[in-house]
Amino acid sequence: MLCGISKWLLSPSLCQKHKQLINYSSDFPTLALVSAAASAHESALTWDPALAQIAKAWARNCQFSHNTQLKPPHKLHPNFTSLGENIWTGSLSLFSVSSAITDWYDEIQHYDFKTRKCTKVCGHYTQVVWADSYKVGCAVHFCPRVSGFDSLFNGAHFICNYGPGGNYPTWPYKKGATCSACPNNDKCLDNLCVNQQRDKVKRYYSVVYPGWPIYPRNRYTSLFLIVNSVILLLSVIITILIQYKYPNLVLLD
């Protein structure tokens, strides 16, 4: 069991209460908590760069609402017919990955497993522990204002996307001895169902096409730098050719 890496460290008491898996992309860590109740087929969550890209693109809009383009099958991701999404928005001073996901998990107090009903908001919790979700990608964007959250200024807008998405009309996991209902090709590791082929990090950037700008500033900046470099190189070449052809030519300032 992993109990924290780097600054995303969980308290020992939280480690004792929950199983946890910490996943990393190349530049952003995310943490997913899984229910301490015995789950017979809880899939391990591993990082998915395409889901992180989708989360980043939507977070940049600074809207306190769910991405409506997640539901159409394969619209944003080639491997999943549906995607799940959790959103945490709050003060920049209060934000950390672990605190945001802990807030989602704490909705367990509002969820009745027998009736599958919530007394208050609990959809974030059920997605976090959804047994069939095995890929996750997260991103945070710092927004001066967040649409739909008018009382917040200079906030952190944190989004995690899950594949496949959960929260459809059934239980989030099956109760039973841990790993007792894992698929035949899975192994049990830290009470989670793992599969080396399924869990390896894959990149789908060439086939993910969100219907909104992903990194417009970065794209234009990169284009400017490329064009500027080409112009500079051509200027140097032209200067050398002129000096070679006209060695006695004096260039004036």
Side-chain angles (χ1 to χ4, degrees):
M1 179 182 293
L2 300 175
C3 285
I5 295 179
S6 186
K7 63 180 179 180
W8 311 114
L9 182 65
L10 290 182
S11 65
S13 61
L14 196 58
C15 282
Q16 292 170 3
K17 292 179 181 178
H18 311 123
K19 294 179 296 179
Q20 59 178 305
L21 181 65
I22 297 180
N23 310 286
Y24 280 84
S25 70
S26 59
D27 58 355
F28 192 88
T30 185
L31 174 150
L33 300 176
V34 180
S35 172
S39 171
H41 68 306
E42 193 74 46
S43 298
L45 276 174
T46 53
W47 186 262
D48 186 275
L51 291 176
Q53 182 187 21
I54 295 167
K56 180 67 174 179
W58 188 246
R60 288 173 65 92
N61 287 295
C62 295
Q63 295 182 21
F64 191 66
S65 61
H66 285 292
N67 183 352
T68 58
Q69 300 189 53
L70 297 179
K71 295 302 180 182
H74 303 294
K75 181 175 179 63
L76 298 182
H77 198 292
N79 277 22
F80 302 114
T81 56
S82 67
L83 300 175
E85 182 178 66
N86 276 352
I87 299 175
W88 186 98
T89 303
S91 171
L92 182 59
S93 62
L94 298 177
F95 171 73
S96 71
V97 174
S98 58
S99 65
I101 298 180
T102 299
D103 283 348
W104 293 338
Y105 183 86
D106 284 346
E107 293 177 5
I108 185 176
Q109 60 187 307
H110 307 308
Y111 180 69
D112 188 318
F113 189 87
K114 292 182 179 179
T115 63
R116 306 200 314 267
K117 293 182 178 180
C118 304
T119 55
K120 293 182 180 179
V121 174
C122 72
H124 303 97
Y125 158 73
T126 52
Q127 176 59 82
V128 166
V129 301
W130 202 266
D132 292 332
S133 296
Y134 61 89
K135 286 293 183 180
V136 65
C138 304
V140 62
H141 189 73
F142 303 110
C143 303
R145 297 293 300 272
V146 177
S147 176
F149 210 111
D150 297 334
S151 61
L152 180 67
F153 296 88
N154 297 320
H157 195 44
F158 177 63
I159 296 177
C160 285
N161 287 136
Y162 299 82
N167 288 348
Y168 47 86
T170 186
W171 284 275
Y173 57 88
K174 297 177 182 177
K175 286 188 175 182
T178 54
C179 295
S180 60
C182 288
N184 292 333
N185 294 328
D186 285 16
K187 296 181 179 180
C188 187
L189 178 64
D190 291 334
N191 296 324
L192 299 171
C193 303
V194 298
N195 182 296
Q196 185 176 5
Q197 183 66 25
R198 180 187 67 219
D199 297 337
K200 67 181 180 181
V201 176
K202 300 178 182 178
R203 297 187 178 275
Y204 310 97
Y205 290 107
S206 61
V207 292
V208 176
Y209 299 106
W212 61 89
I214 298 177
Y215 301 112
R217 292 181 182 177
N218 290 348
R219 186 185 301 132
Y220 297 143
T221 300
S222 300
L223 180 61
F224 170 78
L225 292 175
I226 292 172
V227 172
N228 194 46
S229 299
V230 172
I231 293 175
L232 179 61
L233 179 61
L234 289 175
S235 299
V236 172
I237 293 174
I238 292 173
T239 301
I240 293 174
L241 289 175
I242 291 175
Q243 289 180 341
Y244 177 78
K245 189 171 184 178
Y246 305 102
N248 297 323
L249 181 65
V250 177
L251 298 178
L252 300 177
D253 293 335

